Amino acid sequence: MTIKMDTGFNISVIIPSYRRPNDLRRCLFALTQQTLTPHEVIVVARADDEGTWAVISSFEDKLPIHGKMVHEPGVIHAENVGIKAALGNIIAFTDDDAAPHPDWLEKISRLFQKAEPNVVGVGGRDIIHIDGEPHIKRKSIVGKITWFGRLQGNHEHGFGRARYVDTLKGVNMAYRSHFLKNVGLDTRLLGRGAQMHWELMLGAQAKRMGFRQVYDPTITVDHFPGIRFGRDQRASTDINSIYENVYNETLAILTHLTRPQKIFAFMLWAFAIGHRGAPGVAQVFRLKLYGYPSVTMFIACQKGRLAGIRSYRNATH
């Protein structure tokens, strides 16, 4: 990376929140402790979520905070409303169940100051807490997509130096405002809650446009995975959730790969092997040993794959 000094960063922080007032209170308190004051904090909440609006009001004398009201479900709609309203030239994202470390915004600003102009996104590590204890591992490969389309996330386990990655994680990332306002979050992605893989799609769009993203594990938030509502659960075996998640993953991976040979390799790997959340043939037998409804999951997965492929082809033809 070449050094490009630019001290004119105003950082807007966007937090989508739904019915997790205690989590949100912890997140906002962490933002009051920042060594670099945010230009604004935008909490995007449903109109009928009284608990969230009460928390927003309670921080009005502690943060430059304001709420944006939405009536539709889904994180993508909420984030897009926040992006449209943001005034900062950097837009940072975190979740209501996270608590950024005090130097979070300062380190984001410092990395953008050093980065080349084609770096539009930076992000870092989320330390996941389970039963009150941090769940810590060390993974050297973070935020990469293999040549055949396998996602290697591991953002919560990264260590070492800052490096270029293919994708960041929504709980701890920031982008240049001009990029986000031009691109927005892809509304083709399915779901009514977390809408899995929206960050993956954003990273794929950045790559396709010739931009880069940087992961620095010293940019850190604590992450206390909160409850989710409806069928949008982590590691869900719900057929509709699997279909939606696999559709989103497929559309994002194809957007990233672009070349026909790599796309063919991805489809072959996805059908023959896949992974636990999107099982291919080989995964069916493994999951069955652990009592999962593997055949049902496989069928939902393949339907999601085909729908994602069709959506990608329709957009590129």
Side-chain angles (χ1 to χ4, degrees), residues 274-285:
H275 55 83
R276 192 175 83 168
V281 173
Q283 292 285 346
V284 168
F285 299 101

Side-chain angles (χ1 to χ4, degrees), residues 114-228:
K114 295 179 180 180
E116 298 170 344
N118 72 337
V119 172
V120 294
V122 305
R125 183 181 179 197
D126 62 310
I127 300 174
I128 295 179
H129 292 249
I130 300 174
D131 297 327
E133 296 294 329
H135 182 61
I136 297 176
K137 296 181 181 180
R138 287 167 65 90
K139 298 285 186 179
S140 58
I141 299 176
V142 175
K144 302 298 287 185
I145 300 170
T146 65
W147 67 270
F148 59 87
R150 179 187 176 190
L151 171 63
Q152 298 173 296
N154 299 324
H155 296 85
E156 64 271 30
H157 301 309
F159 68 97
R161 297 180 178 180
R163 63 268 206 185
Y164 294 119
V165 294
D166 296 320
T167 183
L168 299 168
K169 191 172 181 179
V171 69
N172 183 6
M173 68 184 196
Y175 283 85
R176 297 188 192 271
S177 179
H178 66 79
F179 168 74
L180 283 176
K181 288 182 180 289
N182 180 51
V183 175
L185 304 189
D186 197 320
T187 57
R188 292 176 298 169
L189 300 182
L190 302 179
R192 295 174 60 83
Q195 295 184 277
M196 291 284 290
H197 304 301
W198 64 269
E199 312 103 309
L200 182 61
M201 175 58 86
L202 189 61
Q205 291 169 310
K207 175 181 178 289
R208 201 170 188 127
M209 297 170 68
F211 296 122
R212 308 186 84 171
Q213 301 161 101
V214 174
Y215 171 86
D216 182 347
T218 69
I219 299 173
T220 313
V221 305
D222 288 311
H223 192 182
F224 308 87
I227 60 171
R228 291 180 176 177

Side-chain angles (χ1 to χ4, degrees), residues 12 19 106 146 157 176 289 298:
S12 298
R19 293 174 59 187
E106 182 180 346
T146 65
H157 301 309
R176 297 188 192 271
L289 293 175
F298 173 79

Side-chain angles (χ1 to χ4, degrees), residues 9-13 36 38-40 88-92 105 108-109:
F9 291 134
N10 295 316
I11 303 181
S12 298
V13 180
L36 177 64
H39 179 71
E40 61 183 343
N89 46 23
I90 299 294
I91 298 176
L105 292 177
I108 287 172
S109 177

Side-chain angles (χ1 to χ4, degrees), residues 15-36:
I15 308 167
S17 189
Y18 180 60
R19 293 174 59 187
R20 299 197 293 206
N22 292 331
D23 289 330
L24 178 62
R25 188 175 293 108
R26 178 181 55 218
C27 178
L28 294 178
F29 176 78
L31 291 178
T32 68
Q33 306 301 300
Q34 293 294 300
T35 56
L36 177 64

